[in-house]
Amino acid sequence: MILGLLFASITGAALHGDTLYTWGDQLLAWTLPKLQSHSLAAPEKPITAGCLDQDGAGLFLQEGDRLVYRQAPDWKPKEMDHGMDMHDCLAVTLLGHPGVLVVHRGMQLRFYEFPDFHYKEIYSFYSRSRQGGLLVTDVDGDGYPDIICGNYWIKSPTDFDLPWHDFAIELYNDQPLAATLRLALVDGDLLVAQGELPNGRVARFRKPGDPTRLWIEELLGEYHYPRALTSNLIGEDDGPRSKLLLNGHLVGQTNGIHSAFPYRDGFVLVGRDGVSYR
């Protein structure tokens, strides 16, 4: 069964339990699986990117060029920074320090620390391509939380004040948006999708014995703006008749989706014009 509801200008989403948050012209909360929504806030400027906090009780959002934190129950914005160009964020605790990672301008990885949200620069990228996509995982098995961002994994130091070091996973840098990726981890392998390209690669990368060397690529296919990615689902965001694939097989079409979340026995799919559960 497919449940769906159209809504204007949804640019992103996050799932926590039975609540789906979507943003764009409005910040909405949807109760699953019935897809009943209510408005949490109507920001002055459209929301273009965001992520949940670690407790699932608040959201980090880019509104216009401002980075803000909105938290239940009043959902009022607390400005963290301005002049922002954020593609991804991820709430994490790094070496005992809680905060949120932000990819700024596709070139700089920042960490805004609770409670005052002063930021520390984790790394600056020197690449022809804007970096996008964020994961935190122990890549090299040393017990410390490494960061995967775009084409690179960034090795954690043993102390918060020590420098981080990056290593290339692959070399997707032939176009300005070639490294603005969607990422997912599957059984220790890394799935990547070039979601900002009209013929974007989706590939599985296997970590070599020495993870500081380039990883081993298995190309899964090329798709039109493959912005929705989970461990077993790929969704195009290319308007009507966008492909939806499950376990590598075409299972349907959508009007284009940019986010997908496993939920119960199916998936919550989010596009610019609506939300569906199938």
Side-chain angles (χ1 to χ4, degrees), residues 106-119:
M107 297 182 295
Q108 186 183 56
L109 184 59
R110 297 177 174 181
F111 182 70
Y112 290 82
E113 187 175 355
F114 277 106
D116 297 325
F117 296 120
H118 299 301
Y119 81 81

Side-chain angles (χ1 to χ4, degrees), residues 13-23 28-33 40 51-59 72 75 91 260-264 268 270:
L15 180 66
H16 180 71
D18 291 324
T19 302
L20 176 75
Y21 298 96
T22 64
W23 51 81
L28 300 175
W30 305 70
T31 302
L32 300 177
L40 300 177
C51 60
L52 279 168
D53 67 11
Q54 283 189 283
D55 298 327
L59 293 161
W75 296 98
F261 306 94
Y263 180 74
R264 296 188 180 180
V268 177
V270 185

Side-chain angles (χ1 to χ4, degrees), residues 123 125-127 131 139 147-155 165-173 181 190 205-208 210-216:
Y123 207 83
F125 301 104
Y126 299 93
S127 171
Q131 304 299 306
V139 171
I147 301 167
I148 298 176
C149 180
N151 291 345
Y152 303 94
W153 74 273
I154 308 164
K155 180 176 173 58
H165 298 282
D166 76 321
F167 301 94
I169 294 172
E170 34 74 9
L171 301 175
Y172 289 177
N173 58 14
L181 305 175
L190 179 67
F205 284 89
R206 292 179 170 83
K207 184 169 52 179
D210 178 1
T212 65
R213 305 185 66 175
L214 290 177
W215 294 20
I216 301 160

Side-chain angles (χ1 to χ4, degrees), residues 92-115:
V92 293
T93 296
L94 296 180
L95 300 168
H97 295 254
V100 59
L101 285 168
V102 169
V103 183
H104 178 55
R105 300 189 187 279
M107 297 182 295
Q108 186 183 56
L109 184 59
R110 297 177 174 181
F111 182 70
Y112 290 82
E113 187 175 355
F114 277 106

Side-chain angles (χ1 to χ4, degrees), residues 7-254:
F7 218 89
S9 301
I10 297 174
T11 58
L15 180 66
H16 180 71
D18 291 324
T19 302
L20 176 75
Y21 298 96
T22 64
W23 51 81
D25 293 338
Q26 297 186 57
L27 177 60
L28 300 175
W30 305 70
T31 302
L32 300 177
K34 295 183 178 181
L35 296 181
Q36 296 174 335
S37 68
H38 64 276
S39 177
L40 300 177
E44 294 181 3
K45 299 288 182 67
I47 305 170
T48 55
C51 60
L52 279 168
D53 67 11
Q54 283 189 283
D55 298 327
L59 293 161
F60 300 100
L61 301 165
Q62 180 172 333
E63 301 181 10
D65 71 345
R66 299 191 309 151
L67 177 61
V68 305
Y69 180 44
R70 291 182 182 265
Q71 192 175 21
D74 59 21
W75 296 98
K76 292 181 179 178
K78 175 182 178 180
E79 182 168 314
M80 298 166 54
D81 208 342
H82 60 277
M84 297 298 298
D85 178 5
M86 179 177 77
H87 185 270
D88 298 281
C89 62
L90 180 66
V92 293
T93 296
L94 296 180
L95 300 168
H97 295 254
V100 59
L101 285 168
V102 169
V103 183
H104 178 55
R105 300 189 187 279
M107 297 182 295
Q108 186 183 56
L109 184 59
R110 297 177 174 181
F111 182 70
Y112 290 82
E113 187 175 355
F114 277 106
D116 297 325
F117 296 120
H118 299 301
Y119 81 81
K120 169 187 174 71
E121 182 181 330
I122 297 292
Y123 207 83
S124 287
F125 301 104
Y126 299 93
S127 171
R128 291 177 292 179
S129 297
R130 289 172 60 102
Q131 304 299 306
L134 268 178
L135 291 173
V136 170
T137 184
D138 184 3
V139 171
D140 56 359
D142 65 356
Y144 294 99
D146 306 308
I147 301 167
I148 298 176
C149 180
N151 291 345
Y152 303 94
W153 74 273
I154 308 164
K155 180 176 173 58
S156 172
T158 56
D159 184 87
F160 187 73
D161 294 321
L162 295 176
W164 296 66
H165 298 282
D166 76 321
F167 301 94
I169 294 172
E170 34 74 9
L171 301 175
Y172 289 177
N173 58 14
D174 57 320
Q175 300 180 57
L177 298 178
T180 307
L181 305 175
R182 272 56 173 177
L183 305 174
L185 288 172
V186 185
D187 300 327
D189 294 340
L190 179 67
L191 290 183
V192 308
Q194 293 180 305
E196 301 306 309
L197 297 185
N199 292 291
R201 287 172 285 191
V202 177
R204 184 172 187 138
F205 284 89
R206 292 179 170 83
K207 184 169 52 179
D210 178 1
T212 65
R213 305 185 66 175
L214 290 177
W215 294 20
I216 301 160
E217 180 180 14
E218 176 191 354
L219 182 64
L220 303 180
E222 293 188 356
Y223 302 96
H224 298 293
Y225 301 103
R227 293 191 173 117
L229 180 72
T230 73
S231 61
N232 61 346
L233 180 143
I234 301 166
E236 294 182 332
D237 191 15
D238 193 33
R241 296 185 294 278
S242 290
K243 294 178 182 177
L244 183 67
L245 297 101
L246 184 64
N247 297 318
H249 301 288
L250 182 66
V251 293
Q253 296 180 333
T254 73

